[in-house]
Amino acid sequence: MYPKELRYSKEHEWAKVEGTRVRVGITKFAADRLSDVVYVELPKVGSEVAFMQTFGVVESVKAVSDLYSPVSGKVVEINQALVEKPEVINTDPYGEAWMIVVEPRDPGELKRLLDADAYMALIGERQS
C-alpha cells in the first residue's frame, strides 16, 4: 500500500528518486481522505519549488488541500493528463497520478522525509 522505495512527507506527499530527478505525488492515505478528486492545480514547467512549501492545490468534493513539495528545485515536468483527468488520483496515486518532476537543488532534503514504515506509523497503519 505504501511502496518501500518512496520517501514520504508528513503532509502526505511521496517522493521517488529517478536518477537525478524526483517524481512527486500524494499518498493513498491523502487520496482516500480527500475522496472524489475533481480538480488539481500544478505549477508551470520551469518554476521553482521549495522544500515543504506549496506548489499546487487539489480539490475534492469534500475539501481543498494545498500540495507541498518534498524537495526544493526546478519543476521539469508536470502531469498534464492529471489536470485533465484528476480522478486518477483516487485510483492510482503512485502511478498515473504523479504530479510533478523536480530537478532538486539539494537532494539531501530527501533524508528529512519519512520512510514507508515511519509514514505508516504517522498515519496509524500497519504493514499487511
Side-chain angles (χ1 to χ4, degrees), residues 12 28 41 48 53 59 62 98 105 122:
H12 312 293
K28 182 180 183 327
E41 180 182 303
E48 293 286 325
Q53 298 298 307
E59 182 177 338
K62 289 172 70 175
W98 64 272
R105 268 197 310 268
L122 174 76

Side-chain angles (χ1 to χ4, degrees), residues 50-107:
F51 182 75
M52 297 319 300
Q53 298 298 307
T54 60
F55 72 82
V57 172
V58 64
E59 182 177 338
S60 72
V61 294
K62 289 172 70 175
V64 176
S65 296
D66 288 331
L67 299 167
Y68 296 89
S69 181
V71 66
S72 299
K74 181 178 176 182
V75 176
V76 293
E77 198 174 338
I78 66 164
N79 188 349
Q80 189 63 40
L82 190 62
V83 173
E84 296 163 6
K85 201 173 174 187
E87 63 273 15
V88 174
I89 292 171
N90 296 111
T91 57
D92 194 10
Y94 303 110
E96 288 184 46
W98 64 272
M99 296 182 167
I100 59 174
V101 176
V102 177
E103 209 166 76
R105 268 197 310 268
D106 178 9

Side-chain angles (χ1 to χ4, degrees), residues 96-126:
E96 288 184 46
W98 64 272
M99 296 182 167
I100 59 174
V101 176
V102 177
E103 209 166 76
R105 268 197 310 268
D106 178 9
E109 289 175 333
L110 295 167
K111 293 178 182 166
R112 296 165 63 183
L113 301 174
L114 305 171
D115 63 18
D117 290 337
Y119 181 71
M120 290 176 62
L122 174 76
I123 62 173
E125 290 192 21
R126 284 190 235 169

